[in-house]
Amino acid sequence: MDWILPLDHITLTHIDQTGGKAARLGALMRAGFPVPDGFVITADAFLLHHPIFLDTRPPPPRLSPEFMKSLADAFQAYFAPGERVAVRSSGVDEDGQGASFAGQHATYYYIDAATLEQAVVDCWMSLWSPPALAYRASRDKPIRPMAVIVQKLVDARRSGVCFSRDPLDPRAGTVVIEASWGLGAALVDGRVQPDRLRVDDRGAVTLLQLGDKRERVAATRADPSMGRLEAVPEHLRTARVLTDDDAFQLHEITEQIETLFGEPVDVEWAYDADTLHILQARPITTLTTGEPAPVGPMVLFKPLAENFTEPLTPLTVSLMQAVIPPGSTFVDGRLYVGFAALRRFMPLKLTDAECVDLLLLRRMPDPMVPHPGRLALLLAGLGVVWLSQGAFWSRSARLMPQALERFPPWLEGVARQTGNDPVRFMRATMFGASPFAPVWRDVLALNISAGRYFLLMGLARQLLRRWAPSLDPDLLADLVHDESDMWSRRMLDAVRELASLANAHPDAQKALRAGDCLTQVRLLPQDHPFVVGLGDFLRTYGHRGPREMDLASPRWREDPTPVLIMIRNQLSLPEAGSNAAYAQHLVARDKLRRQLGNGLKARCINRLVSRIRYYIALRENTRHYHTMLFDRLRRKLTSLEHDLLLAEKIKTAGDLFFLTWPEVRSLQAADQPSVALAGVIRERRIAHQRLARTRPPETLNLHLAHALMPDEDANVLYGQRASSGEAEGVARVVLHPDQAGHIQPGDILIAPYTDPTWTPLFPSLAGIVVGMGSYLSHAGTIARELRIPCLVDVRDCVSRIRDGQRVRLCADLGFVQLVDGP
């Protein structure tokens, strides 16, 4: 009976003794792959201490003296005195094709000779952890013995996972790599957004998505009493983890491992300084079929998706489901609306593809041909809608901007009345008001109603084409230029004022330019002019932040680092000069007057332009207020999370947002923490990270005949014009606005999406390219105000365009070209 076996003596025939993980590592080691050295405590040792299997957790065993001596001798033979090791589970049925047991059993880092025995016992006992038992129950698998791997702990600077086939698209035939800093635990637990690379069969990188790698698990701990997660330095968060040569090496070794085992594999790897180590290889158990979700024909709700492309977290989805209108649903964290019902009320003769384009705010049909039968149905439907919402829409067309200032105190009153119940709070503030209540209370409905300017723009274009065919169609963008005091413009001016304040105080400049700028700013005196100005800014705009509609996303009030980075970006920019956009607006008005004179046609166009300008301002201004609603809701939830953390019912800040509201209520009522939820949270974190790396499908269960694109060119990406013009410059790929420290005047921004928090980046740019957006989106609205060329809905722009690459943007023709090649 062997209690301990050297790792390099193990083959796949030893699975019943060593478990699947150890057997595969042994096979890799014997085949010459770079696997860290170590030994395996076999299933015989487990059976020595657990001769009877129980469905419920038994008491921890007392190790036999003979086994303890064997364990101490093995450690002394394989590792130097004081050396740290990793202790990892290797269940007999673990890492198989039918069930991987990924993350269900324990792994321990930083183990030495003194803590080895306890780590082995804890590994064994993880067989009976609630997540592991629930996982087995869901797959009808009995408890089997467990082996334990004891391996040299790699001083991992970089780590990740490599798939020999893409789990999200197994037909692609390419290797997919996910990479992050430090040990791989943060990545496999779903707590970090890794870089993602796709490598073709020649070993060339064809896709690169840089992740926001906020945290890491270091291979060493200066203070053993602290948790293993630590913050990643700011300059590394969005830095590229792997070079092209690293990606080629991982591609080659993963292909070789797939050949060795004869099946698609998921390989965990790590680099110390420059040496690659293979830590695990198992069959891929997460390959998807690519089949659409089991719902009817649906279309993505573009007004939400264009503000951020990541899926909403489970708690946000759970709460939003209480207030979303009938006919809409969440699929993988994205909101979709029913296509059939919307199609039925379209009063125009449209193909399905044209209808989808209209619903996605992509383009108006040209020409617009009425559909008589549907027009009657639409009028009947509008009559019903008018009875319930007509008063609201009518009054929203005449709302004075000052009326919105009543919203913040009213919101605080509702927050106090609804206590700690977020569902009551949402129902009282979202789409729940009486049609005859003050319209400023329902800021979300106001924001949606302001989208009617898209239809008015289409009508104005049709009339201008008929009445003034010689006018440039782009003249309309200049005509609707708005000099009103929008909140997005106020915020931009406030950032500029803070930059001017910092430029006048060298100590503030120095603090802002430091790598840990937040720490340095906090060291400034409380009465410092810059600190006072920053406090005023946060009192006005502290409820804003990236991904504002996701309740898991921190606000600027909680972490003002993004604000400091925006101010830092403004330090070297020139002061705002003359308003060229307003000058172009005056020129456009003069051209229109010369074409149409002052007659009825001119008054009709001017009225449309006035309405369009009103709704553009309303849409931008209501964003400022409806984000207060989500901020207030987040504050309720973080207070609840604080209580659950103190009661030790959840482990880590942020875990709450990966539960549903019924699960949170059950957790509140429980006397003891639900350990089973830890596994649920982990699985949902991982799923959320994977979904965040994919562009949401625009339609579900809807097969469309798409228009043919121009001849395919690897150097050209196509999109939709949101603001006219052309530009050439250096591409700056930015995933979040707080990561834009490297942008220089004249650069071209490449972003997955934008929202109002990106506004301070825009004035110095030569152009903007956005992966998800529309003519109505924030990027297009502000770009037209600043007369910056802007292209939206450019698929894969953040992965196909590389940071620092030179690009040519031709917004009028709808493409961006890679000047330097792919």
Side-chain angles (χ1 to χ4, degrees):
M1 181 180 295
D2 295 318
W3 291 336
I4 294 175
L5 292 175
L7 197 55
D8 60 1
H9 288 190
I10 297 170
T11 68
L12 292 177
T13 62
H14 292 89
I15 282 182
D16 287 342
Q17 282 182 282
T18 65
K21 184 185 298 181
R24 286 173 174 269
L25 282 174
L28 287 169
M29 207 170 187
R30 291 167 66 89
F33 289 93
V35 176
D37 201 7
F39 58 86
V40 178
I41 302 166
T42 67
D44 291 333
F46 175 89
L47 292 170
L48 173 69
H49 297 91
H50 295 90
I52 300 175
F53 283 92
L54 301 172
D55 291 333
T56 57
R57 180 182 174 90
R62 293 175 61 88
L63 298 181
S64 74
E66 297 85 353
F67 173 72
M68 288 192 291
K69 184 178 185 307
S70 298
L71 185 60
D73 290 345
F75 191 92
Q76 186 175 5
Y78 279 89
F79 306 111
E83 186 170 2
R84 304 281 175 168
V85 299
V87 175
R88 311 166 66 198
S89 66
S90 182
V92 168
D93 52 357
E94 195 171 333
D95 283 357
Q97 182 62 255
S100 69
F101 285 89
Q104 305 303 319
H105 300 142
T107 294
Y108 298 96
Y109 300 122
Y110 322 117
I111 302 301
D112 57 14
T115 55
L116 178 61
E117 293 176 4
Q118 187 60 50
V120 171
V121 171
D122 290 343
C123 246
W124 285 341
M125 296 307 295
S126 69
L127 262 177
W128 288 276
S129 70
L133 291 175
Y135 186 91
R136 288 181 180 279
S138 68
R139 289 160 177 78
D140 196 24
K141 287 186 174 292
I143 292 177
R144 301 284 305 280
M146 177 183 284
V148 175
I149 304 167
V150 180
Q151 268 183 300
K152 175 181 174 63
L153 179 62
V154 177
D155 185 14
R157 314 292 174 83
R158 303 170 291 162
S159 63
V161 181
C162 194
F163 301 92
S164 63
R165 294 172 67 185
D166 188 344
L168 298 176
D169 183 11
R171 298 164 296 181
T174 56
V175 167
V176 172
I177 305 170
E178 293 180 346
S180 191
W181 303 114
L183 293 168
L187 189 156
V188 299
D189 284 347
R191 295 188 178 277
V192 67
Q193 186 183 65
D195 291 354
R196 191 168 191 266
L197 299 86
R198 185 175 288 125
V199 186
D200 65 17
D201 54 4
R202 297 173 292 111
V205 175
T206 59
L207 178 146
L208 171 63
Q209 293 175 308
L210 296 176
D212 183 11
K213 302 168 286 291
R214 294 174 178 267
E215 296 177 311
R216 67 183 174 190
V217 175
T220 58
R221 288 191 298 181
D223 183 356
S225 67
M226 300 296 290
R228 64 184 189 177
L229 278 176
E230 65 178 27
V232 171
E234 182 186 314
H235 70 282
L236 289 179
R237 276 178 46 183
T238 55
R240 183 174 175 179
V241 174
L242 296 174
T243 66
D244 282 0
D245 289 341
D246 296 332
F248 179 81
Q249 182 184 20
L250 284 166
H251 170 273
E252 293 299 293
I253 206 165
T254 302
E255 293 284 303
Q256 293 165 13
I257 293 172
E258 180 179 88
T259 301
L260 175 67
F261 293 126
E263 60 187 344
V265 288
D266 157 358
V267 177
E268 291 185 20
W269 53 268
Y271 281 95
D272 44 28
D274 296 304
T275 304
L276 173 64
H277 302 271
I278 300 302
L279 307 180
Q280 186 169 331
R282 61 184 172 216
I284 295 177
T285 58
T286 55
L287 294 178
T288 63
T289 62
E291 294 296 323
V295 292
M298 309 291 287
V299 179
L300 184 69
F301 185 62
K302 193 69 169 289
L304 177 59
E306 69 189 13
N307 281 298
F308 60 96
T309 55
E310 294 95 335
L312 294 172
T313 46
L315 183 56
T316 307
V317 169
S318 178
L319 292 171
M320 290 289 286
Q321 283 173 332
V323 295
I324 60 174
S328 54
T329 187
F330 284 97
V331 178
D332 290 336
R334 276 83 177 225
L335 182 61
Y336 287 80
V337 293
F339 176 75
L342 294 172
R343 178 84 169 87
R344 195 174 301 120
F345 283 94
M346 286 289 176
L348 304 172
K349 290 184 178 179
L350 302 172
T351 65
D352 282 352
E354 288 173 331
C355 185
V356 167
D357 279 343
L358 183 58
L359 293 173
L360 292 175
L361 311 176
R362 190 172 283 150
R363 61 177 71 87
M364 292 291 294
D366 187 15
M368 291 193 291
V369 180
H371 190 297
R374 287 184 183 157
L375 184 59
L377 184 62
L378 175 67
L379 292 174
L382 287 176
V384 174
V385 172
W386 185 261
L387 292 175
S388 61
Q389 294 295 324
F392 177 87
W393 277 59
S394 176
R395 288 184 295 145
S396 69
R398 301 186 301 275
L399 181 69
M400 297 297 292
Q402 297 82 356
L404 291 172
E405 296 174 7
R406 304 177 193 173
F407 180 76
W410 173 80
L411 184 69
E412 286 303 311
V414 174
R416 288 191 297 271
Q417 292 169 10
T418 54
N420 290 324
D421 188 339
V423 175
R424 282 184 60 207
F425 176 76
M426 293 180 73
R427 286 176 174 159
T429 56
M430 296 185 185
F431 309 113
S434 162
F436 302 102
V439 290
W440 51 261
R441 290 186 183 179
D442 208 341
V443 288
L444 267 177
L446 277 173
N447 186 265
I448 293 171
S449 74
R452 68 185 97 171
Y453 88 78
F454 184 60
L455 298 175
L456 298 180
M457 289 282 286
L459 177 59
R461 286 183 187 279
Q462 294 277 351
L463 294 177
L464 282 174
R465 184 174 295 145
R466 178 174 299 179
W467 295 341
S470 63
L471 281 180
D472 183 351
D474 293 330
L475 183 77
L476 186 59
D478 293 328
L479 284 172
V480 300
H481 171 78
D482 190 3
E483 283 295 302
S484 65
D485 191 19
M486 290 193 292
W487 275 104
S488 54
R489 188 176 293 125
R490 287 192 215 176
M491 182 171 66
L492 175 57
D493 291 341
V495 170
R496 285 170 170 162
E497 289 173 9
L498 283 170
S500 298
L501 202 56
N503 276 326
H505 294 83
D507 53 347
Q509 270 196 64
K510 182 179 179 181
L512 287 169
R513 296 189 189 280
D516 55 344
C517 57
L518 179 58
T519 301
Q520 297 304 313
V521 167
R522 283 175 172 165
L523 293 175
L524 295 173
Q526 290 299 304
D527 59 351
H528 191 287
F530 179 79
V531 174
V532 173
L534 179 62
D536 292 339
F537 180 92
L538 292 176
R539 275 187 287 276
T540 304
Y541 302 100
H543 62 285
R544 307 303 300 264
R547 303 180 299 281
E548 294 166 320
M549 293 184 73
D550 193 341
L551 300 174
S553 181
R555 313 295 143 152
W556 287 343
R557 183 189 300 105
E558 302 169 63
D559 178 13
T561 302
V563 177
L564 298 178
I565 293 172
M566 289 190 295
I567 298 168
R568 183 171 66 196
N569 292 342
Q570 293 285 324
L571 291 178
S572 57
L573 296 181
E575 295 289 334
S578 61
N579 194 336
Y582 185 63
Q584 291 290 338
H585 167 71
L586 294 177
V587 171
R589 286 179 57 183
D590 184 62
K591 289 180 179 179
L592 181 67
R593 187 165 48 250
R594 281 180 293 171
Q595 282 279 327
L596 298 182
N598 295 311
L600 180 61
K601 292 179 180 179
R603 289 197 296 275
C604 181
I605 293 295
N606 286 331
R607 175 60 178 170
L608 277 174
V609 167
S610 174
R611 289 286 80 197
I612 292 168
R613 294 172 66 186
Y614 169 82
Y615 290 123
I616 289 174
L618 182 64
R619 198 162 193 263
E620 284 295 306
N621 287 336
T622 50
R623 285 176 193 242
H624 176 80
Y625 290 99
H626 78 58
T627 50
M628 291 180 183
L629 190 157
F630 289 96
D631 170 61
R632 196 64 186 81
L633 184 55
R634 174 174 164 80
R635 281 190 275 162
K636 283 178 178 285
L637 294 172
T638 52
S639 175
L640 172 59
E641 181 182 56
H642 177 72
D643 294 340
L644 292 175
L645 285 168
L646 288 178
E648 298 184 346
K649 293 185 178 182
I650 54 176
K651 291 183 177 180
T652 309
D655 282 354
L656 181 81
F657 298 96
F658 291 88
L659 299 173
T660 64
W661 179 241
E663 289 168 343
V664 173
R665 294 294 298 270
S666 298
L667 200 58
Q668 283 181 287
D671 294 330
Q672 299 292 329
S674 173
V675 184
L677 285 180
V680 171
I681 290 168
R682 178 185 178 277
E683 290 181 2
R684 288 176 184 169
R685 278 185 177 275
I686 294 171
H688 186 267
Q689 292 288 2
R690 292 278 165 83
L691 287 168
R693 312 301 288 174
T694 62
R695 179 186 174 98
E698 294 178 340
T699 61
L700 298 173
N701 297 339
L702 194 58
H703 302 287
L704 303 174
H706 293 287
L708 294 176
M709 296 297 291
D711 293 338
E712 186 174 347
D713 186 338
N715 294 331
V716 178
L717 288 77
Y718 296 94
Q720 303 295 323
R721 178 186 63 186
S723 179
S724 299
E726 296 185 7
E728 183 173 326
V730 175
R732 292 301 177 195
V733 179
V734 180
L735 300 181
H736 301 292
D738 57 344
Q739 302 166 6
H742 60 315
I743 285 183
Q744 299 296 320
D747 287 346
I748 295 178
L749 174 68
I750 314 296
Y753 63 89
T754 70
D755 61 27
T757 62
W758 295 70
T759 301
L761 304 178
F762 286 9
S764 67
L765 298 173
I768 301 168
V769 177
V770 180
M772 177 72 75
S774 68
Y775 188 89
L776 277 69
S777 66
H778 170 263
T781 301
I782 302 301
R784 289 191 296 274
E785 290 294 310
L786 299 175
R787 298 194 62 78
I788 300 171
C790 177
L791 203 61
V792 297
D793 261 0
V794 183
R795 184 179 292 272
D796 296 333
C797 63
V798 295
S799 56
R800 289 183 56 189
I801 300 175
R802 300 196 182 188
D803 190 72
Q805 195 170 23
R806 194 162 189 84
V807 298
R808 181 180 298 115
L809 170 60
C810 299
D812 293 332
L813 299 178
F815 72 85
V816 57
Q817 182 181 19
L818 314 182
V819 176
D820 297 340

